[in-house]
Tab-separated table of all heavy atoms in Angstrom:
chain	number	residue	atom	x	y	z
A	5	THR	N	146.720	91.442	80.216
A	5	THR	CA	146.073	91.728	81.485
A	5	THR	C	146.183	93.207	81.832
A	5	THR	O	147.123	93.897	81.432
A	5	THR	CB	146.687	90.915	82.635
A	5	THR	OG1	148.041	91.340	82.863
A	5	THR	CG2	146.674	89.428	82.328
A	6	LEU	N	145.195	93.689	82.581
A	6	LEU	CA	145.206	95.018	83.169
A	6	LEU	C	144.563	94.942	84.540
A	6	LEU	O	143.687	94.106	84.774
A	6	LEU	CB	144.443	96.025	82.316
A	6	LEU	CG	145.096	96.573	81.049
A	6	LEU	CD1	144.091	97.444	80.289
A	6	LEU	CD2	146.336	97.381	81.377
A	7	ARG	N	144.985	95.822	85.434
A	7	ARG	CA	144.378	95.932	86.754
A	7	ARG	C	143.925	97.370	86.961
A	7	ARG	O	144.747	98.284	87.004
A	7	ARG	CB	145.353	95.522	87.853
A	7	ARG	CG	144.762	95.513	89.268
A	7	ARG	CD	145.763	94.952	90.264
A	7	ARG	NE	145.237	94.844	91.617
A	7	ARG	CZ	145.548	95.678	92.609
A	7	ARG	NH1	146.383	96.684	92.405
A	7	ARG	NH2	145.024	95.485	93.817
A	8	LEU	N	142.624	97.567	87.078
A	8	LEU	CA	142.052	98.881	87.301
A	8	LEU	C	141.857	99.130	88.789
A	8	LEU	O	141.533	98.211	89.541
A	8	LEU	CB	140.705	99.024	86.593
A	8	LEU	CG	140.666	98.713	85.094
A	8	LEU	CD1	139.261	98.967	84.548
A	8	LEU	CD2	141.698	99.535	84.339
A	9	SER	N	142.049	100.380	89.193
A	9	SER	CA	141.825	100.785	90.573
A	9	SER	C	140.903	101.991	90.597
A	9	SER	O	140.905	102.808	89.677
A	9	SER	CB	143.144	101.150	91.268
A	9	SER	OG	144.033	100.062	91.290
A	10	CYS	N	140.120	102.110	91.652
A	10	CYS	CA	139.255	103.266	91.847
A	10	CYS	C	139.219	103.598	93.322
A	10	CYS	O	138.784	102.771	94.131
A	10	CYS	CB	137.847	102.995	91.324
A	10	CYS	SG	136.677	104.339	91.643
A	11	ALA	N	139.661	104.797	93.666
A	11	ALA	CA	139.697	105.245	95.048
A	11	ALA	C	138.669	106.346	95.275
A	11	ALA	O	138.632	107.329	94.533
A	11	ALA	CB	141.088	105.744	95.415
A	12	ALA	N	137.849	106.179	96.290
A	12	ALA	CA	136.881	107.190	96.684
A	12	ALA	C	137.462	108.054	97.793
A	12	ALA	O	138.081	107.536	98.726
A	12	ALA	CB	135.581	106.540	97.156
A	13	SER	N	137.280	109.357	97.686
A	13	SER	CA	137.799	110.271	98.688
A	13	SER	C	136.809	111.402	98.930
A	13	SER	O	135.878	111.600	98.158
A	13	SER	CB	139.156	110.839	98.266
A	13	SER	OG	139.038	111.596	97.070
A	14	GLY	N	137.048	112.158	99.994
A	14	GLY	CA	136.183	113.265	100.347
A	14	GLY	C	135.371	112.960	101.591
A	14	GLY	O	135.775	112.176	102.442
A	15	SER	N	134.220	113.600	101.677
A	15	SER	CA	133.341	113.423	102.825
A	15	SER	C	132.543	112.138	102.654
A	15	SER	O	131.553	112.103	101.917
A	15	SER	CB	132.408	114.624	102.968
A	15	SER	OG	131.543	114.469	104.072
A	16	ILE	N	132.985	111.073	103.326
A	16	ILE	CA	132.366	109.752	103.211
A	16	ILE	C	132.223	109.145	104.595
A	16	ILE	O	133.207	109.040	105.324
A	16	ILE	CB	133.192	108.815	102.324
A	16	ILE	CG1	133.333	109.380	100.916
A	16	ILE	CG2	132.555	107.427	102.290
A	16	ILE	CD1	134.309	108.630	100.049
A	17	PHE	N	131.019	108.736	104.921
A	17	PHE	CA	130.784	108.041	106.181
A	17	PHE	C	130.923	106.533	106.005
A	17	PHE	O	131.584	105.868	106.802
A	17	PHE	CB	129.414	108.393	106.757
A	17	PHE	CG	129.096	107.670	108.034
A	17	PHE	CD1	129.691	108.052	109.226
A	17	PHE	CD2	128.212	106.601	108.047
A	17	PHE	CE1	129.412	107.392	110.407
A	17	PHE	CE2	127.923	105.934	109.225
A	17	PHE	CZ	128.526	106.332	110.409
A	18	SER	N	130.283	105.995	104.967
A	18	SER	CA	130.361	104.568	104.698
A	18	SER	C	130.050	104.307	103.234
A	18	SER	O	129.363	105.091	102.587
A	18	SER	CB	129.403	103.776	105.597
A	18	SER	OG	128.057	104.120	105.334
A	19	ILE	N	130.547	103.183	102.716
A	19	ILE	CA	130.329	102.794	101.336
A	19	ILE	C	129.704	101.409	101.290
A	19	ILE	O	130.194	100.482	101.939
A	19	ILE	CB	131.636	102.783	100.523
A	19	ILE	CG1	132.317	104.151	100.589
A	19	ILE	CG2	131.366	102.381	99.072
A	19	ILE	CD1	133.646	104.204	99.861
A	20	GLY	N	128.625	101.288	100.532
A	20	GLY	CA	127.990	99.998	100.344
A	20	GLY	C	128.569	99.284	99.141
A	20	GLY	O	129.753	98.965	99.088
A	21	VAL	N	127.728	99.039	98.129
A	21	VAL	CA	128.171	98.349	96.918
A	21	VAL	C	129.082	99.245	96.090
A	21	VAL	O	128.817	100.432	95.918
A	21	VAL	CB	126.972	97.887	96.081
A	21	VAL	CG1	127.435	97.273	94.767
A	21	VAL	CG2	126.121	96.893	96.859
A	22	MET	N	130.165	98.679	95.570
A	22	MET	CA	131.012	99.325	94.588
A	22	MET	C	131.020	98.459	93.334
A	22	MET	O	130.833	97.245	93.412
A	22	MET	CB	132.431	99.522	95.100
A	22	MET	CG	132.520	100.328	96.384
A	22	MET	SD	134.223	100.650	96.922
A	22	MET	CE	134.646	102.035	95.844
A	23	GLY	N	131.230	99.080	92.181
A	23	GLY	CA	131.189	98.306	90.958
A	23	GLY	C	131.940	98.943	89.818
A	23	GLY	O	132.396	100.086	89.900
A	24	TRP	N	132.069	98.155	88.756
A	24	TRP	CA	132.673	98.608	87.509
A	24	TRP	C	131.673	98.459	86.379
A	24	TRP	O	130.990	97.429	86.272
A	24	TRP	CB	133.937	97.811	87.179
A	24	TRP	CG	135.088	98.117	88.078
A	24	TRP	CD1	135.470	97.441	89.196
A	24	TRP	CD2	136.014	99.191	87.925
A	24	TRP	NE1	136.580	98.023	89.752
A	24	TRP	CE2	136.937	99.109	88.987
A	24	TRP	CE3	136.158	100.220	86.995
A	24	TRP	CZ2	137.989	100.013	89.147
A	24	TRP	CZ3	137.198	101.117	87.147
A	24	TRP	CH2	138.098	101.008	88.214
A	25	TYR	N	131.589	99.479	85.532
A	25	TYR	CA	130.745	99.500	84.361
A	25	TYR	C	131.595	99.910	83.170
A	25	TYR	O	132.656	100.504	83.336
A	25	TYR	CB	129.588	100.484	84.541
A	25	TYR	CG	128.647	100.134	85.673
A	25	TYR	CD1	129.035	100.284	86.998
A	25	TYR	CD2	127.368	99.652	85.414
A	25	TYR	CE1	128.184	99.963	88.038
A	25	TYR	CE2	126.502	99.334	86.447
A	25	TYR	CZ	126.918	99.491	87.752
A	25	TYR	OH	126.062	99.174	88.777
A	26	ARG	N	131.128	99.600	81.957
A	26	ARG	CA	131.880	100.001	80.782
A	26	ARG	C	130.937	100.477	79.688
A	26	ARG	O	129.777	100.082	79.624
A	26	ARG	CB	132.773	98.871	80.271
A	26	ARG	CG	132.041	97.661	79.716
A	26	ARG	CD	133.038	96.550	79.422
A	26	ARG	NE	132.408	95.387	78.819
A	26	ARG	CZ	133.015	94.236	78.598
A	26	ARG	NH1	134.295	94.086	78.942
A	26	ARG	NH2	132.358	93.231	78.036
A	27	GLN	N	131.471	101.326	78.816
A	27	GLN	CA	130.689	101.909	77.743
A	27	GLN	C	131.568	102.144	76.529
A	27	GLN	O	132.603	102.802	76.619
A	27	GLN	CB	130.059	103.231	78.200
A	27	GLN	CG	129.124	103.861	77.191
A	27	GLN	CD	128.389	105.057	77.764
A	27	GLN	OE1	128.857	105.692	78.712
A	27	GLN	NE2	127.231	105.365	77.206
A	28	ALA	N	131.151	101.586	75.396
A	28	ALA	CA	131.796	101.835	74.119
A	28	ALA	C	131.004	102.895	73.362
A	28	ALA	O	129.804	103.072	73.609
A	28	ALA	CB	131.888	100.551	73.303
A	29	PRO	N	131.632	103.618	72.422
A	29	PRO	CA	130.919	104.654	71.670
A	29	PRO	C	129.661	104.113	70.999
A	29	PRO	O	129.687	103.072	70.351
A	29	PRO	CB	131.950	105.108	70.637
A	29	PRO	CG	133.265	104.837	71.278
A	29	PRO	CD	133.058	103.565	72.053
A	30	GLY	N	128.546	104.825	71.160
A	30	GLY	CA	127.289	104.424	70.571
A	30	GLY	C	126.513	103.390	71.351
A	30	GLY	O	125.404	103.032	70.949
A	31	ASN	N	127.077	102.894	72.447
A	31	ASN	CA	126.421	101.881	73.257
A	31	ASN	C	126.073	102.419	74.636
A	31	ASN	O	126.596	103.442	75.077
A	31	ASN	CB	127.313	100.648	73.396
A	31	ASN	CG	127.555	99.947	72.081
A	31	ASN	OD1	126.679	99.891	71.232
A	31	ASN	ND2	128.757	99.425	71.910
A	32	GLU	N	125.182	101.710	75.310
A	32	GLU	CA	124.809	102.092	76.656
A	32	GLU	C	125.857	101.603	77.654
A	32	GLU	O	126.624	100.686	77.375
A	32	GLU	CB	123.427	101.527	77.019
A	32	GLU	CG	123.389	100.013	77.169
A	32	GLU	CD	123.157	99.275	75.872
A	32	GLU	OE1	123.291	99.894	74.806
A	32	GLU	OE2	122.848	98.069	75.926
A	33	ARG	N	125.883	102.230	78.810
A	33	ARG	CA	126.773	101.812	79.876
A	33	ARG	C	126.227	100.533	80.514
A	33	ARG	O	125.059	100.468	80.881
A	33	ARG	CB	126.910	102.917	80.922
A	33	ARG	CG	127.970	102.653	81.976
A	33	ARG	CD	128.146	103.863	82.901
A	33	ARG	NE	128.562	105.049	82.158
A	33	ARG	CZ	128.837	106.220	82.716
A	33	ARG	NH1	128.750	106.366	84.035
A	33	ARG	NH2	129.195	107.255	81.967
A	34	ARG	N	127.079	99.528	80.632
A	34	ARG	CA	126.657	98.238	81.146
A	34	ARG	C	127.501	97.789	82.328
A	34	ARG	O	128.691	98.092	82.409
A	34	ARG	CB	126.723	97.168	80.058
A	34	ARG	CG	125.669	97.317	78.977
A	34	ARG	CD	125.687	96.142	78.037
A	34	ARG	NE	124.504	96.096	77.198
A	34	ARG	CZ	124.234	95.125	76.346
A	34	ARG	NH1	125.055	94.112	76.209
A	34	ARG	NH2	123.133	95.170	75.622
A	35	LEU	N	126.885	97.050	83.206
A	35	LEU	CA	127.557	96.515	84.382
A	35	LEU	C	128.597	95.475	83.985
A	35	LEU	O	128.349	94.635	83.117
A	35	LEU	CB	126.537	95.900	85.334
A	35	LEU	CG	127.033	95.330	86.664
A	35	LEU	CD1	125.968	95.520	87.731
A	35	LEU	CD2	127.356	93.849	86.528
A	36	VAL	N	129.756	95.536	84.624
A	36	VAL	CA	130.793	94.523	84.474
A	36	VAL	C	130.848	93.645	85.716
A	36	VAL	O	130.820	92.416	85.623
A	36	VAL	CB	132.172	95.155	84.211
A	36	VAL	CG1	133.248	94.074	84.125
A	36	VAL	CG2	132.146	95.990	82.940
A	37	ALA	N	130.940	94.268	86.886
A	37	ALA	CA	131.029	93.521	88.133
A	37	ALA	C	130.685	94.430	89.298
A	37	ALA	O	130.899	95.638	89.237
A	37	ALA	CB	132.426	92.927	88.330
A	38	THR	N	130.157	93.848	90.371
A	38	THR	CA	129.895	94.585	91.603
A	38	THR	C	130.399	93.782	92.786
A	38	THR	O	130.564	92.562	92.710
A	38	THR	CB	128.397	94.884	91.808
A	38	THR	OG1	127.670	93.657	91.903
A	38	THR	CG2	127.856	95.734	90.675
């Protein structure tokens, strides 16, 4: 198991959809979850 985290910072008023994508060498970036 692993637990990934992603924190947004800076000048932000509001955030809508957030998601995770992944990309292996030679492949396109694909959606994992939103």
Side-chain angles (χ1 to χ4, degrees):
T5 66
L6 283 174
R7 184 174 183 256
L8 306 182
S9 300
C10 176
S13 62
S15 180
I16 300 171
F17 178 75
S18 64
I19 304 177
V21 175
M22 303 184 80
W24 289 95
Y25 297 72
R26 67 188 183 188
Q27 185 172 24
N31 295 324
E32 69 274 14
R33 188 174 300 183
R34 289 187 166 184
L35 182 147
V36 177
T38 61

